[in-house]
Amino acid sequence: MDIKDIGKVVANSRVALGLSQEQLAHFSGLSRVTVNELENGAIVELGVTKVAAILAVLGVHLTASANKLKKNGLSMAAVTASVSYKDNMSAGALMKALVTGVYPSKYLPHIATLIDEAPIQMLTTAVKEASDKSGVAPKKIWQHVTQWAQDLQSPRSVWQ
């Protein structure tokens, strides 16, 4: 659920309770403009405390749940890493590299692409899948990935 989805829930709940935006704003300690922007999807960030205040007035509970990770993370990551190269890195080769921390030199560009450009959620999925299949702890695999990023001097801020 993102902030726009929350805004829709707030608008529907407010209307169902017969409250005006001004009343909801007053009851939650926020401005009417903030409530209006939330309901209309115009607000980018509100903060969990303010969202919680609005939802409490409406009797709505915000819950968090883990997304199910896709099971083909290694395949997706291998395709992403190989997209610009003649030689494709297989999911098996990527898994072996993640688990051991060693990749064949011919895959250096692929690993660099993965480190620098792949969505983090894709990397997370690939690490989880490699861990599940190999029995190697995810923490160890992340150490390998982080080391690769340092060795390759990745410009990506998440590795700094």
Side-chain angles (χ1 to χ4, degrees), residues 36-72:
N36 181 274
E37 288 178 346
L38 174 63
E39 289 185 358
N40 291 304
I43 202 161
V44 177
E45 170 55 38
L46 185 55
V48 72
T49 304
K50 291 178 181 177
V51 169
I54 291 172
L55 295 178
V57 169
L58 298 171
V60 174
H61 299 282
L62 183 63
T63 58
S65 61
N67 287 336
K68 288 188 174 187
L69 295 176
K70 295 178 182 174
K71 295 191 184 260
N72 58 348

Side-chain angles (χ1 to χ4, degrees), residues 73-83 88-91 94 110 114 122:
L74 285 167
S75 295
M76 289 175 27
V79 167
T80 297
S82 300
V83 75
N88 291 330
M89 180 171 52
S90 69
L94 177 57
H110 301 72
L114 194 64
M122 181 183 291

Side-chain angles (χ1 to χ4, degrees), residues 4-17:
K4 289 184 180 189
D5 293 331
I6 293 171
K8 291 175 187 173
V9 169
V10 167
N12 292 337
S13 298
R14 177 186 59 76
V15 169
L17 291 170

Side-chain angles (χ1 to χ4, degrees), residues 19-144:
L19 294 173
S20 68
Q21 287 183 343
E22 182 135 357
Q23 287 172 309
L24 178 57
H26 179 71
F27 294 157
S28 61
L30 301 171
S31 72
R32 188 202 58 77
V33 171
T34 298
V35 171
N36 181 274
E37 288 178 346
L38 174 63
E39 289 185 358
N40 291 304
I43 202 161
V44 177
E45 170 55 38
L46 185 55
V48 72
T49 304
K50 291 178 181 177
V51 169
I54 291 172
L55 295 178
V57 169
L58 298 171
V60 174
H61 299 282
L62 183 63
T63 58
S65 61
N67 287 336
K68 288 188 174 187
L69 295 176
K70 295 178 182 174
K71 295 191 184 260
N72 58 348
L74 285 167
S75 295
M76 289 175 27
V79 167
T80 297
S82 300
V83 75
S84 297
Y85 304 106
K86 181 180 174 185
D87 293 328
N88 291 330
M89 180 171 52
S90 69
L94 177 57
M95 181 176 142
K96 184 176 180 183
L98 288 169
V99 168
T100 64
V102 178
Y103 52 85
S105 59
K106 71 178 184 176
Y107 292 136
L108 172 72
H110 301 72
I111 296 297
T113 298
L114 194 64
I115 297 292
D116 293 344
E117 299 176 15
I120 295 299
Q121 185 176 12
M122 181 183 291
L123 289 173
T124 301
T125 304
V127 167
K128 173 81 169 95
E129 186 177 336
S131 174
D132 289 348
K133 288 182 175 181
S134 69
V136 173
K139 183 176 181 176
K140 185 66 174 173
I141 296 173
W142 280 115
Q143 288 172 346
H144 297 154

